[in-house]
Amino acid sequence: MNGAESVVRSLHAAGTEVCFANPGTSEMQFVDALDRTRLIHCVLGLFEGVVTGAADGYGRMAGKPAVTLLHLAPGFANGAANLHNARKGRSPVLNLVGDHAVRHARYDAPLTADVAAAVAPFSDWVGTGTAAATLARDAMAGLAAASGHPGGVATLILPADLGWEEGGEIAPPLPAAAPRALEDGALDRAVALLGPGCLLLVGGTVLERPEALALAAGIADRTGAEVMAPGSNRRLEMGRGRVEIARIPYPIDLALGTLARFDRAVLVEAVEPVAFFAYPDRPSLLLPPGTRVETLAGRDQDGPAALAALADLVGARAATPPDAARPVAPQAGPLRDDALSMAIAAAIPDHAIVIDERLTRAQSAMRFAQGAGPQSWLSITGGSIGIGIPLAAGAAIACPDRPVVALQADGSAMYTLQGLWTQSREQANVTTIILANRSYEILKGELMRVGANPGPTALDMLDLRRPELDFVQLARGMGVPAVRVEDAAELHRAIAAGVREPGPMLIEAVLV
Amino acid sequence: MNGAESVVRSLHAAGTEVCFANPGTSEMQFVDALDRTRLIHCVLGLFEGVVTGAADGYGRMAGKPAVTLLHLAPGFANGAANLHNARKGRSPVLNLVGDHAVRHARYDAPLTADVAAAVAPFSDWVGTGTAAATLARDAMAGLAAASGHPGGVATLILPADLGWEEGGEIAPPLPAAAPRALEDGALDRAVALLGPGCLLLVGGTVLERPEALALAAGIADRTGAEVMAPGSNRRLEMGRGRVEIARIPYPIDLALGTLARFDRAVLVEAVEPVAFFAYPDRPSLLLPPGTRVETLAGRDQDGPAALAALADLVGARAATPPDAARPVAPQAGPLRDDALSMAIAAAIPDHAIVIDERLTRAQSAMRFAQGAGPQSWLSITGGSIGIGIPLAAGAAIACPDRPVVALQADGSAMYTLQGLWTQSREQANVTTIILANRSYEILKGELMRVGANPGPTALDMLDLRRPELDFVQLARGMGVPAVRVEDAAELHRAIAAGVREPGPMLIEAVLV
């Protein structure tokens, strides 16, 4: 058994089911091992950003890592932006990155670069294989680092010769990290802060467990504190039967205004709220200066357990979710924001996975969708745009029985558009709604916020109309059926039809 | 004047004419400064790989850097693969990478990452701005590092607040590096090696100067040595009136066979030939063991001057280029390799820029094109696929009066397809021929070379037919007119028409 085969067999025995791949020559022995063993489902991406974004989507929904197969430093770099998102979301991903054979690395071959240095800024754990016999053991260490609580991005560098050399040995799984225990006294300190004027900020696994969310809401009801979540999250369980949870808004002034009423904060699997970017004459930290902040549970601790203990201490019970209004299909009319949001919300089926890379449009979609059936809502966690299309592919592969509805800004869609091809190839049940406003609209606001009064060159740099993108042709060119709609009632019908049909579908919603 | 404006004004005064950009919030003050000053032409890319690949193409043809504008670590990473190519080709590029404001960097904002660590593996020079007053001086240091001989990739990290703060000061240009002098005795040692059985390997600027190529050929004629060039080069001047130069082939066995006849080698702006990848039972170095190798000029030395001195020493004169056969348009028939190559070669107009990301098909195109008019041939220098479409855009922007013909493998085209939109936006005169074999064909050979006997999973991973890509729809979706052809005579006519028409055009050549 060669080194590559020992890795593949050990990963499979440890529960790995899917490999997202864009391999090159230095990974051919892994392609061969995957071929011969037929243990792991291989999903091809035509660009590495698709591979890593799909692995993130898979990890968020499966709760365990997929592996990626990437080609040297440039191949890793192509996937790094979405690994950045995965890392910020603590989504479990294990990267296998091929490198030159050990003896070849000293020469200046065209693809030679410092792989270890290139992967480090985008990985929580980095390993490098040193011998065929220990390659599977290294892979198990990487798998354990990616798994557990919190998850993370682990990257194992695999010199090509270690993969093709004989002497590979199957390695047993290693235990993944368990949540770190709460700090002594943290519960009491949190109790002391709770009450009116206190923010209870919950993130991470709390948002993935409806019962934990209900407990957080119960604690707020009991104490007068207010529950919120960060603006963008790995996965939020919402919809009917789940407690609705407010999120910190993105625009800096709105965020500052929302948090101005607090003078204490208790954090549960969350960090102190910070502005997405710095701006002239605005603070970086969003809570008012002097706010007393207590971390009840950090991101590496067990938030749901901490909330259960806190509820016991304050005598709180799980809150009962109120009945949110069911969204209704809108009347015919142009795609203005509320009609657009309602058309989307009304078409979200029970147990949907919603992929959210909206950025500026369909602002009310999430609020309206609270009245739709139970659903998992996946956002862009690291601010690196171009994750929606691959994230949807990966989530659909993790949950083939659940429909995926992807809300996708047009500018961001262009970063990893190739993911549509993977959606088609895998016949993933993804309905993508392109929110076509034909601009980097979010940046127009940002330009104003740095004090600029934009002229023609600046506006032209943020404009996507010259030439106009035709997402219907782009989707069809990659085997995904597509339609263009400009009417709200029509959009609702198109989404509903897309969700019903198996396989992917793209709807270009032309916004006014 | 704020820091951003001081940088823009200083770069322009130092000769910078073009900025390729995919900006985000942390670069808004640069967008604003570019807008207000209107000194530098801004070219928008919908993905950073387009931005950096276009900067490479511009740098190769203009002989001086364009600047790029990139957004934090993930934005840089998206552009890193093509910067790897630029770096290996010593193509001049200056990256301006925005980062969080200094005071914001300590918080775990979503887009926070170690920018300096992320850029280092893909940059020859890295700087970080420290104050608004010195930001332009830093930019001038970066510009000097990117310029000169050899060129390189320089990256300046710009914390956002330094851009928006007042106190920016115009900085004068700094001298770029001149070529390092030849080593003492190098000429005599080279003379001692020349003769039958000696390889004269020339690269870098030698290939960009027809007179230097003619001198190299003259030295070979005079001494019995043989001239060759590396397999892939930043820019090779070829076609009628220029000396034809053989290149080291890519496939390992062919490369070893080609070089087996040498026992001495003289290198001029080239390194000792090394295999693209390592393979089991194959050496890394391509020249026979024991070959005596002399570096007459390294890549940081003046190859043309070294050849002139060498020619004087051996009494050689510039060779006269033989008359290569003019390529003729092929008869009607399927797109088999020779007909395909001839259709392309016969349609290459005088003074064309040819972009070469063919990989496996149209193998004879370059040989046949030697009989076409004088042309500049730009290849993929770092082995990182996905450069052709942006490289063509950048070359066309550097040389608006020269037609660009891009030979583009289909799999590679999918990495940076968004570059077609930039071609359309800039109305670049680029005629792209997609060599549609519907597979990662090059990897099938590589799979065999590592000793594998590919089964269905492996072959499926290298197959692009499920679903089939439709490049005509993909191009039209980004505003580029497109046709599909399956006949050699028709292909020739389509290329000729594409070259004649202003603006971009894409031809999907369906290969047999």
Side-chain angles (χ1 to χ4, degrees):
Chain A
M1 179 163 51
N2 68 20
E5 187 173 333
S6 72
V7 170
V8 170
R9 290 194 180 278
S10 301
L11 285 172
H12 175 258
T16 303
E17 297 181 273
V18 179
C19 174
F20 296 96
N22 184 284
T25 301
S26 47
E27 296 77 42
M28 278 304 109
Q29 53 286 351
F30 281 90
V31 172
D32 176 53
L34 289 161
D35 180 42
R36 282 186 289 108
T37 57
R38 299 202 198 173
L39 296 170
I40 293 179
H41 176 51
C42 291
V43 178
L44 181 59
L46 295 187
F47 177 71
E48 292 87 348
V50 175
V51 167
T52 54
D56 183 3
Y58 179 93
R60 294 193 200 192
M61 293 311 302
K64 66 180 184 180
V67 296
T68 72
L69 199 53
L70 301 168
H71 186 48
L72 297 116
F76 181 91
N78 279 337
N82 276 339
L83 291 174
H84 174 87
N85 285 323
R87 191 165 174 235
K88 292 290 173 167
R90 311 298 312 190
S91 184
V93 176
L94 173 58
N95 302 303
L96 303 180
V97 182
D99 195 4
H100 283 310
V102 175
R103 66 166 156 89
H104 200 67
R106 84 192 73 152
Y107 305 110
D108 187 28
L111 272 163
T112 304
D114 187 340
V115 182
V119 307
F122 302 98
S123 305
D124 297 298
W125 178 97
V126 178
T128 302
T130 54
T134 50
L135 214 51
R137 208 187 304 163
D138 297 333
M140 291 300 101
L143 188 67
S147 312
H149 182 99
V153 174
T155 301
L156 177 60
I157 301 165
L158 299 163
D161 46 348
L162 308 186
W164 74 56
E165 279 172 16
E166 290 301 309
E169 291 176 18
I170 303 288
L174 296 172
R180 189 165 58 85
L182 300 187
E183 307 265 342
D184 284 345
L187 277 164
D188 293 336
R189 290 194 297 273
V191 170
L193 291 191
L194 289 173
C198 178
L199 169 68
L200 179 59
L201 186 68
V202 298
T205 59
V206 174
L207 307 183
E208 298 174 349
R209 306 209 189 142
E211 68 283 7
L213 281 172
L215 264 189
I219 292 166
D221 289 347
R222 175 78 182 178
T223 62
E226 281 185 63
V227 188
M228 296 189 82
S232 291
N233 299 288
R234 179 173 67 190
R235 176 175 165 189
L236 171 64
E237 290 299 317
M238 55 171 275
R240 294 185 76 78
R242 281 117 184 236
V243 163
E244 185 171 2
I245 189 158
R247 294 171 310 125
I248 299 172
Y250 170 87
I252 176 80
D253 289 334
L254 208 48
L256 290 169
T258 301
L259 299 181
R261 59 179 178 267
F262 299 113
D263 60 10
R264 284 115 59 221
V266 172
L267 309 178
V268 183
E269 288 197 39
V271 294
E272 188 170 348
V274 58
F276 219 89
F277 294 102
Y279 302 93
D281 310 318
R282 296 285 184 285
S284 289
L285 291 175
L286 297 173
L287 285 164
T291 299
R292 290 165 58 201
V293 179
E294 173 66 27
T295 298
L296 171 58
R299 300 188 68 185
D300 58 345
Q301 295 173 304
D302 187 338
L307 286 171
L310 193 62
D312 277 350
L313 280 177
V314 301
R317 295 173 172 207
T320 307
D323 254 14
R326 277 190 195 278
V328 290
Q331 307 276 310
L335 287 170
R336 296 191 201 288
D337 208 71
D338 267 9
L340 167 67
S341 295
M342 196 55 98
I344 291 167
I348 291 176
D350 285 1
H351 307 295
I353 300 167
V354 181
I355 305 295
D356 180 2
E357 196 171 29
R358 284 172 300 167
L359 306 190
T360 56
R361 295 301 185 95
Q363 281 298 319
S364 319
M366 197 169 181
R367 180 158 50 83
F368 294 155
Q370 185 59 35
Q375 65 205 266
S376 305
W377 195 282
L378 279 52
S379 303
I380 169 175
T381 50
S384 186
I385 61 174
I387 193 168
I389 293 170
L391 199 68
I397 288 165
C399 302
D401 298 331
R402 295 180 65 177
V404 178
V405 176
L407 312 179
Q408 181 62 60
D410 53 357
S412 312
M414 291 303 294
Y415 282 67
T416 48
L417 194 72
Q418 308 95 330
L420 292 174
W421 185 85
T422 298
Q423 290 184 6
S424 171
R425 186 175 176 92
E426 298 295 318
Q427 281 300 293
N429 185 7
V430 178
T431 304
T432 300
I433 300 127
I434 299 286
L435 304 168
N437 64 12
R438 317 294 193 200
S439 84
Y440 287 144
E441 192 168 284
I442 196 166
L443 293 181
K444 292 183 186 165
E446 299 288 13
L447 190 59
M448 247 93 76
R449 258 174 229 125
V450 299
N453 182 16
T457 304
L459 290 175
D460 194 50
M461 293 279 279
L462 310 179
D463 191 305
L464 307 182
R465 278 174 304 192
R466 193 166 59 78
E468 193 145 284
L469 292 161
D470 180 338
F471 281 94
V472 172
Q473 291 209 69
L474 291 170
R476 289 180 184 161
M478 286 186 273
V480 171
V483 293
R484 180 176 298 115
V485 302
E486 305 191 12
D487 173 85
E490 200 188 332
L491 174 62
H492 174 259
R493 285 193 296 272
I495 301 171
V499 166
R500 265 195 316 273
E501 293 288 318
M505 160 97 187
L506 181 140
I507 302 161
E508 181 175 15
V510 180
L511 308 187
V512 289
Chain B
M1 179 164 51
N2 68 19
E5 187 174 335
S6 74
V7 169
V8 170
R9 289 195 180 278
S10 300
L11 285 172
H12 176 259
T16 304
E17 296 181 274
V18 179
C19 174
F20 295 97
N22 184 282
T25 302
S26 46
E27 295 77 41
M28 279 303 109
Q29 53 286 353
F30 281 90
V31 172
D32 174 55
L34 288 161
D35 179 44
R36 281 185 290 107
T37 56
R38 299 203 198 173
L39 295 169
I40 292 180
H41 176 50
C42 293
V43 177
L44 181 58
L46 295 188
F47 177 70
E48 292 87 346
V50 174
V51 167
T52 54
D56 183 3
Y58 179 93
R60 295 192 200 193
M61 294 311 301
K64 66 179 183 180
V67 297
T68 71
L69 199 52
L70 301 167
H71 186 47
L72 297 116
F76 181 90
N78 279 338
N82 276 339
L83 290 174
H84 175 87
N85 285 324
R87 190 165 175 235
K88 292 291 174 167
R90 311 298 313 191
S91 184
V93 177
L94 173 59
N95 301 303
L96 303 181
V97 182
D99 195 3
H100 283 312
V102 174
R103 65 165 157 88
H104 200 67
R106 84 193 73 156
Y107 305 110
D108 187 28
L111 273 163
T112 304
D114 187 339
V115 182
V119 307
F122 302 98
S123 304
D124 297 298
W125 179 96
V126 178
T128 301
T130 55
T134 50
L135 214 52
R137 210 189 301 164
D138 296 333
M140 290 301 98
L143 188 68
S147 312
H149 183 98
V153 173
T155 300
L156 177 60
I157 301 165
L158 298 163
D161 47 348
L162 308 187
W164 75 54
E165 279 171 16
E166 290 301 310
E169 290 177 18
I170 302 289
L174 296 171
R180 190 165 56 86
L182 299 187
E183 308 264 341
D184 283 347
L187 276 163
D188 292 337
R189 290 194 297 273
V191 170
L193 292 189
L194 289 172
C198 180
L199 168 67
L200 179 59
L201 186 67
V202 297
T205 59
V206 174
L207 307 183
E208 298 174 348
R209 307 210 189 142
E211 68 282 8
L213 281 171
L215 264 189
I219 292 165
D221 289 347
R222 174 78 181 179
T223 62
E226 282 184 63
V227 188
M228 295 189 81
S232 291
N233 300 287
R234 178 172 66 190
R235 177 175 164 190
L236 171 63
E237 289 299 317
M238 55 172 276
R240 295 185 75 79
R242 280 114 185 238
V243 164
E244 184 170 4
I245 188 159
R247 294 171 312 126
I248 299 172
Y250 171 87
I252 175 81
D253 289 334
L254 207 51
L256 290 168
T258 301
L259 300 181
R261 60 180 178 269
F262 299 112
D263 60 9
R264 283 118 56 224
V266 172
L267 311 178
V268 183
E269 289 196 37
V271 295
E272 187 169 350
V274 59
F276 219 88
F277 295 102
Y279 303 93
D281 310 319
R282 296 285 184 286
S284 288
L285 291 175
L286 297 172
L287 285 164
T291 299
R292 290 166 57 202
V293 179
E294 172 66 26
T295 298
L296 172 57
R299 299 187 70 186
D300 58 344
Q301 294 172 305
D302 187 339
L307 286 171
L310 193 62
D312 277 351
L313 280 176
V314 301
R317 294 175 174 205
T320 306
D323 254 13
R326 277 189 195 277
V328 290
Q331 306 276 308
L335 287 170
R336 296 189 202 290
D337 208 73
D338 266 11
L340 168 66
S341 296
M342 196 55 97
I344 292 167
I348 292 176
D350 285 3
H351 307 295
I353 300 167
V354 181
I355 305 294
D356 180 3
E357 196 170 30
R358 285 172 300 168
L359 306 190
T360 57
R361 294 302 185 94
Q363 281 298 317
S364 320
M366 197 169 181
R367 181 159 47 85
F368 294 156
Q370 185 59 35
Q375 64 206 264
S376 305
W377 195 282
L378 278 52
S379 302
I380 169 175
T381 50
S384 186
I385 60 174
I387 193 169
I389 293 171
L391 200 67
I397 288 165
C399 302
D401 298 331
R402 295 179 64 177
V404 178
V405 176
L407 312 179
Q408 181 61 60
D410 53 357
S412 312
M414 291 303 294
Y415 281 66
T416 47
L417 194 72
Q418 307 94 331
L420 291 175
W421 185 84
T422 298
Q423 290 184 7
S424 171
R425 185 175 177 91
E426 297 295 316
Q427 281 299 295
N429 186 7
V430 178
T431 303
T432 300
I433 301 130
I434 299 287
L435 303 168
N437 62 12
R438 317 293 193 198
S439 85
Y440 286 143
E441 191 167 284
I442 197 166
L443 293 180
K444 291 183 186 165
E446 300 287 11
L447 190 59
M448 247 92 77
R449 258 173 229 126
V450 299
N453 182 14
T457 303
L459 289 176
D460 193 49
M461 293 279 280
L462 310 179
D463 192 304
L464 307 181
R465 276 172 306 191
R466 192 166 61 76
E468 194 144 285
L469 291 163
D470 180 339
F471 280 94
V472 172
Q473 292 209 70
L474 291 171
R476 289 179 184 163
M478 286 186 273
V480 171
V483 294
R484 180 177 297 113
V485 301
E486 305 191 12
D487 172 84
E490 200 188 330
L491 175 62
H492 174 259
R493 283 192 298 272
I495 302 172
V499 166
R500 263 195 318 272
E501 293 288 319
M505 160 97 188
L506 181 140
I507 301 160
E508 182 174 16
V510 181
L511 308 187
V512 290

